[in-house]
Amino acid sequence: MKRSQLKTSQQVIGDASRQDPVIRAEWDRTAFAREVALRIVGYRTENQLTQTALARKVGMTQSVIARLESGDQPPSIATLVKLSKGTGMEFDVKISRGAVEIVAA
């Protein structure tokens, strides 16, 4: 099989989540955390920072940055404030019907 024929991780998860409500529930539960993780990784990449360098910049430890980048658990509002204050990143958060999401500014 050629590399171009392989499914992306998003496609695999999408297929699985349509077939399994448990997987879908977990995917939905971690959506906010994944979005924050993508923004942090993007910021680090754009600014050529290691996790340690970013941690120092925002007053956290490298292990906290690693956990945030894993996207498994949603960050607290206090954590988002620290990230925003130290980096200038913006997080527009919407809380509705028991769900938390980042919305486009």
Side-chain angles (χ1 to χ4, degrees):
M1 177 179 280
K2 292 182 180 179
R3 187 176 186 184
S4 62
Q5 294 173 312
L6 296 174
K7 290 183 176 183
T8 66
S9 60
Q10 297 288 350
Q11 289 169 324
V12 170
I13 292 169
D15 291 347
S17 69
R18 281 190 288 281
Q19 297 171 9
D20 187 336
V22 174
I23 292 173
R24 183 69 204 181
E26 181 65 8
W27 184 252
D28 291 344
R29 183 191 72 78
T30 59
F32 174 67
R34 281 193 321 277
E35 179 63 28
V36 172
L38 289 171
R39 288 186 181 206
I40 294 170
V41 171
Y43 180 87
R44 276 199 321 104
T45 302
E46 289 172 13
N47 292 279
Q48 300 178 339
L49 296 171
T50 63
Q51 287 180 341
T52 302
L54 177 59
R56 286 186 186 129
K57 186 174 183 160
V58 298
M60 296 179 183
T61 63
Q62 178 275 328
S63 62
V64 170
I65 298 299
R67 278 194 302 273
L68 289 168
E69 288 185 357
S70 76
D72 291 333
Q73 294 296 320
S76 68
I77 297 297
T79 297
L80 294 178
V81 168
K82 273 188 168 184
L83 286 167
S84 181
K85 190 174 185 178
T87 65
M89 285 192 290
E90 293 184 6
F91 300 96
D92 293 317
V93 179
K94 177 183 177 184
I95 302 171
S96 176
R97 296 183 184 171
V100 179
E101 65 181 305
I102 293 182
V103 295

